[in-house]
Amino acid sequence: MSVEHEEKRRLRRDLQEVRRALPADAVAARGAALARRVRELDELRTAPGEGAEGAAPTVAAYVSIGGEPDTRALIEALRAAGVRVLLPVLLPDNDLDWAVYEGPERLVPAGWGLREPDGPRLTPEAVTQADVVLLPGLAVDRTGLRLGRGGGSYDRVLARLERSSRRTALVVLLYDDEVLDAVPAESHDRRVHAAVTPSGVHRFRH
C-alpha cells in the first residue's frame, strides 16, 4: 500500500466522521442551498442542448446517502426546470449504468442503501451524453483534485468521459469545509472543473 493510499484512507475516515456528526436539519438546509448554487453554474445555463428545439440540457447527478450533501432538492429542481437528469444504477462489478430521473416516486431501493430510477437502463456510456456531471466526493483541493469515496465507480466514469470527444463539465458537490489546500493523489485520480458548496461555486484552473 502506497503512502498516498494510506493518507487518502485516513483523510476519508476523518471527513466521514465529521459528516456523520451533522444533524439532519443541517444536512437538509445545506442541501437546499446547494440546489440554488448549482443553478448558478455557467455550464448549465449555456449547455449545448439548452434552447435547441425539442432538446434540453443533460445533467448526470446522483441521489445522496448518509451524511453526503443532500441532492434530493437539487435533482428535483433540475427536473422541474426541464433539465434531463441521469442518475446512476450500480452494476455488480461496481461500474455505473444510468437511467433518467422521473421524480422521487420512481426511485427504488438498491444495494448499499442507494436509491435508483426504476426506468430503462441506458448503458454505462450514457454518461457521455451529459453536459454537466455532478460528482460525489469527500474533498477537493485548490487545483481541482477530487478525493472520492474509494469505491472506484466514479474513477471508471471519469475515465469514460476522458475518452469521449464531448466537453463535459465535471463538478463535485461538497460542504464548505471540504475545499482543502491539498489532498493526497494517486496516478488514476482526475481533476474536476469546479466544486459547488452551500456558499458558492469554486473554480479550478488546470
Side-chain angles (χ1 to χ4, degrees), residues 136-200:
L138 288 167
V140 71
D141 73 11
R142 301 294 178 180
T143 72
L145 191 63
R146 166 185 166 270
L147 177 67
R149 296 176 295 192
S153 296
Y154 277 90
D155 290 331
R156 301 191 202 186
V157 169
L158 292 171
R160 193 167 282 129
L161 290 166
E162 194 171 77
R163 294 191 298 269
S164 170
S165 60
R166 188 181 181 93
R167 295 185 64 183
T168 304
L170 305 176
V171 181
V172 62
L173 305 180
L174 298 169
Y175 295 117
D176 290 303
D177 56 1
E178 294 169 345
V179 180
L180 308 178
D181 289 334
V183 299
E186 295 178 277
S187 60
H188 61 270
D189 291 323
R190 302 289 195 277
R191 285 179 167 81
V192 298
H193 300 109
V196 178
T197 70
S199 70

Side-chain angles (χ1 to χ4, degrees), residues 25-48:
D25 58 346
V27 173
R30 295 177 191 184
L34 201 68
R36 294 191 297 270
R37 296 300 188 183
V38 166
R39 295 300 305 279
E40 297 173 3
L41 285 169
D42 291 338
E43 293 90 343
L44 187 56
R45 290 199 292 263
T46 60

Side-chain angles (χ1 to χ4, degrees), residues 3-140:
V3 173
E4 292 82 4
H5 187 86
E6 181 61 23
E7 288 176 349
K8 287 166 75 171
R9 190 186 66 82
R10 287 196 297 266
L11 183 56
R12 285 189 182 106
R13 180 196 62 209
D14 294 344
L15 292 166
Q16 287 169 334
E17 285 180 0
V18 173
R19 284 185 172 185
R20 282 193 290 269
L22 287 171
D25 58 346
V27 173
R30 295 177 191 184
L34 201 68
R36 294 191 297 270
R37 296 300 188 183
V38 166
R39 295 300 305 279
E40 297 173 3
L41 285 169
D42 291 338
E43 293 90 343
L44 187 56
R45 290 199 292 263
T46 60
E50 194 163 22
E53 186 176 351
T58 296
V59 173
Y62 63 96
V63 181
S64 56
I65 59 172
E68 290 181 329
D70 193 339
T71 63
R72 291 172 297 176
L74 163 59
I75 60 178
E76 184 58 23
L78 290 173
R79 185 179 77 99
V83 175
R84 181 173 179 256
V85 179
L86 303 181
L87 295 180
V89 177
L90 187 65
L91 297 173
D93 65 354
N94 246 25
D95 204 351
L96 298 179
D97 203 334
W98 299 86
V100 176
Y101 174 63
E102 296 179 320
E105 71 282 356
R106 297 290 303 274
L107 295 177
V108 296
W112 303 102
L114 301 171
R115 296 182 67 80
E116 60 191 32
D118 63 0
R121 280 32 180 166
L122 303 176
T123 79
E125 293 296 324
V127 72
T128 63
Q129 302 168 9
D131 303 298
V132 179
V133 176
L134 302 178
L135 300 159
L138 288 167
V140 71

